[in-house]
Amino acid sequence: MQLQYLTMIVGSAFMHASYNALMKTRGKDPYFLPGFFVVATLIAWGNIWLNGGLGEVPWTALPVVFLAALFYVVYQIFCNTAYQKGDISSLYPLTVLGPVLIPLWAGLFLSEHLGGQAISGIMLTFLGAV
């Protein structure tokens, strides 16, 4: 593995942990989460402006991009509420169950076939979170 990629992974993990710590310590501030989204939106629009547009993203994909952003915002609101009312050490493992739920939803809604190895991985991840 190249040092550049390892640095990105470690940096991402540090930023993720820092964000969750900020959510726990500042989550009761009514301006923190909206302020976070305003800053993130400004950075994203600035990046689009600096790169000269959306690049390879077709205009027809924008509704899906908007829905993904909306789901992320709702996820963060739920996490913020949970962090305000509970202990982060017991709640955080539940926030990272996406790899468990996504294949299950894909099987349910998209008729994707899950093999034995995938189901074993899902169960192992679920048991680790529990």
Side-chain angles (χ1 to χ4, degrees), residues 20 23 74-84 91 95:
N20 280 290
M23 286 292 289
V74 171
Y75 161 77
Q76 291 300 326
I77 290 169
F78 286 160
C79 283
N80 187 36
T81 303
Y83 289 167
Q84 286 177 3
L91 294 171
T95 67

Side-chain angles (χ1 to χ4, degrees), residues 16-68:
H16 186 82
S18 299
Y19 169 76
N20 280 290
L22 279 173
M23 286 292 289
K24 181 61 181 168
T25 58
R26 299 283 316 268
K28 293 183 178 163
D29 180 358
Y31 300 108
F32 178 73
L33 194 59
F36 176 80
F37 288 126
V38 167
V39 169
T41 301
L42 291 173
I43 290 171
W45 280 108
N47 190 33
I48 289 171
W49 182 74
L50 286 174
N51 289 327
L54 296 173
E56 301 292 321
V57 179
W59 284 100
T60 55
L62 289 183
V64 176
V65 171
F66 175 77
L67 283 174

